[in-house]
């Protein structure tokens, strides 16, 4: 399924080049990841491009991930010229810490500029991230108004733009960009689970089975509580069929409507209705 999809459009290759060319215009980089899939939502090419810039990693949608796991990721990622923060761009949780961490990372540079008589310095920061991690929501929250389009479909932002914020930082927005090849199948699956890859090019029923396989192994209580199940079967398809009957996803003669139940499962996972779930851990 994942290996055969064609999902790397030309605008993503163009965006990658533009990010590399624009780095000289900024002081630091804010990289946004999905806190449920911290490793899988990191674009290795962008990380390599930005490796010499001070970087803040925002683990977004932290309300949807397991708190202890997210805290472990923050500790794991924070080192040298990189700082990680758990945030929720919709509510604003954790965003007040960004300016403090940016100032710490840029302290030496700002001190040098002030020693040369440069005052009233505006810090410029590039915002990067793969599709659907919440970049537009973050920028709108920081700007205090709706300056970029928000959508739950990947690829809403199309070109870079500068946005002023209320904390003395100017943000350069960039389109969400993926990379040409997944080295591990589970990375592609995690991206598909959270909607970073368009559903239109996926086998939605197979994707739902893979999600249930993962949840019944690591988060069985979440599944049983959400769908009022007394127990789970070892077979993921059997569990999907039980959930379908609980939710009335059936057609004539009591047959299962697999597409309907698959769409429902993915929508409810993405919306946090299955509770706080982390699909990756630092020690995986």
């Amino acid at each position: 399924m994942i290996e055969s999809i064609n999902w790397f459009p030309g605008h993503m290759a163009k965006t990658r080049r533009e990010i590399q060319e624009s780095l000289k215009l900024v002081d630091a980089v804010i990289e946004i990841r999905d806190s449920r899939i911290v490793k899988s939502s990191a674009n290795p090419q962008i990380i390599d491009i930005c490796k010499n810039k001070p970087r803040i990693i925002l683990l977004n949608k932290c309300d949807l991930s397991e708190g202890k796991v997210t805290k472990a990721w923050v500790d794991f990622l924070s080192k040298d010229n990189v700082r990680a923060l758990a945030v929720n761009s919709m509510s604003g949780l954790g965003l007040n810490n960004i300016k403090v961490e940016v100032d710490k990372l840029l302290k030496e540079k700002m001190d040098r500029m002030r020693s040369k008589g440069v005052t009233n310095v505006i810090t410029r920061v590039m915002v990067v991230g793969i599709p659907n991690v919440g970049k537009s929501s973050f920028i709108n929250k920081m700007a205090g108004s709706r300056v970029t389009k928000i959508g739950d479909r990947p690829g809403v932002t199309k070109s870079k733009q500068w946005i002023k914020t209320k904390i003395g930082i100017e943000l350069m927005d960039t389109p969400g960009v993926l990379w040409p090849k997944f080295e591990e199948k589970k990375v592609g699956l995690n991206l598909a689970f959270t909607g970073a890859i368009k559903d239109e090019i996926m086998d939605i029923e197979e994707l739902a089975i893979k999600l249930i396989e993962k949840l019944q192994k690591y988060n069985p209580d979440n599944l049983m509580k959400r769908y009022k199940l007394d127990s789970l079967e070892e077979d993921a398809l059997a569990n999907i069929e039980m959930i379908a009957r609980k939710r009335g996803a059936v057609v004539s003669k009591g047959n299962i409507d697999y597409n309907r139940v698959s769409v429902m499962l993915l929508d409810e996972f993405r919306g946090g209705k299955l509770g706080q779930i982390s699909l990756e851990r630092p020690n995986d």
Side-chain angles (χ1 to χ4, degrees):
M1 176 183 68
I2 295 297
E3 296 93 338
S4 62
I5 61 175
N6 179 17
W7 54 267
F8 192 67
H11 80 267
M12 290 187 174
K14 178 183 177 183
T15 297
R16 189 177 59 200
R17 292 193 300 270
E18 289 179 347
I19 288 173
Q20 191 163 15
E21 293 168 0
S22 299
L23 273 177
K24 60 181 178 294
L25 303 175
V26 302
D27 303 296
V29 172
I30 289 178
E31 179 197 356
I32 303 183
R33 302 189 192 179
D34 188 321
S35 63
R36 297 168 294 179
I37 54 167
V38 175
K39 179 182 176 183
S40 294
S41 59
N43 185 332
Q45 293 185 339
I46 299 301
I47 293 173
D48 185 60
I49 291 171
C50 301
K51 63 184 178 182
N52 294 323
K53 284 283 183 180
R55 183 160 44 105
I56 301 286
I57 300 175
L58 300 184
L59 306 184
N60 197 24
K61 307 181 183 182
C62 67
D63 57 313
L64 301 180
S65 59
E66 300 166 44
K68 289 183 178 180
V69 177
T70 303
K71 175 62 168 60
W73 275 114
V74 168
D75 294 340
F76 179 80
L77 294 170
S78 297
K79 55 188 176 183
D80 300 328
N81 67 335
V82 178
R83 299 290 183 274
L85 297 170
V87 303
N88 181 337
S89 293
M90 297 298 290
S91 68
L93 176 67
L95 298 185
N96 289 337
N97 298 323
I98 293 174
K99 181 64 162 62
V100 174
E101 295 301 328
V102 169
D103 286 346
K104 288 179 181 177
L105 289 173
L106 298 178
K107 185 178 184 304
E108 290 185 13
K109 179 178 180 178
M110 294 305 172
D111 286 346
R112 287 197 303 271
M113 294 181 69
R114 292 188 184 98
S115 68
K116 296 177 181 178
V118 180
T119 58
N120 195 27
V121 178
I122 299 295
T123 303
R124 288 187 159 183
V125 178
M126 178 187 293
V127 183
V128 300
I130 68 169
N132 211 40
V133 290
K135 284 196 306 92
S136 295
S137 298
F138 162 71
I139 288 173
N140 289 339
K141 197 70 174 179
M142 295 293 287
S145 61
R146 187 164 179 165
V147 294
T148 66
K149 292 182 180 179
I150 295 176
D152 59 1
R153 293 163 60 86
V156 171
T157 304
K158 294 300 183 185
S159 61
K160 69 175 181 287
Q161 53 182 315
W162 287 101
I163 298 99
K164 293 183 178 180
T165 70
K166 297 180 289 186
I167 60 173
I169 293 177
E170 286 191 0
L171 303 176
M172 176 194 287
D173 190 16
T174 60
V177 57
L178 287 165
W179 58 107
K181 182 182 179 182
F182 302 132
E183 297 301 328
E184 301 178 57
K185 183 177 179 180
K186 64 181 179 181
V187 171
L189 284 171
N190 285 336
L191 292 171
F193 292 151
T194 56
I197 299 174
K198 293 179 180 180
D199 286 340
E200 289 88 340
I201 58 174
M202 307 300 299
D203 182 330
I204 202 74
E205 295 173 19
E206 185 180 352
L207 188 61
I209 291 174
K210 293 294 184 182
L211 176 61
I212 292 298
E213 285 178 353
K214 193 152 193 171
L215 296 182
Q216 68 188 32
K217 182 177 181 180
Y218 294 108
N219 305 90
D221 292 342
N222 296 63
L223 279 178
M224 290 189 289
K225 181 179 179 181
R226 177 62 183 172
Y227 300 112
K228 297 180 173 58
L229 303 175
D230 296 327
S231 62
L232 293 174
E233 301 291 337
E234 290 187 13
D235 181 57
L237 184 59
N239 291 323
I240 287 180
E241 290 173 350
M242 286 195 298
I243 293 170
R245 297 191 188 283
K246 284 280 187 178
R247 288 300 183 86
V250 294
V251 291
S252 61
K253 298 182 180 181
N255 293 318
I256 302 299
D257 188 337
Y258 290 101
N259 183 74
R260 179 180 169 191
V261 70
S262 298
V263 170
M264 180 205 70
L265 283 166
L266 289 164
D267 284 348
E268 294 200 351
F269 166 72
R270 292 168 183 170
K273 293 181 180 179
L274 273 65
Q276 294 178 303
I277 294 174
S278 296
L279 297 180
E280 293 179 323
R281 287 156 173 75
N283 59 357
D284 282 349

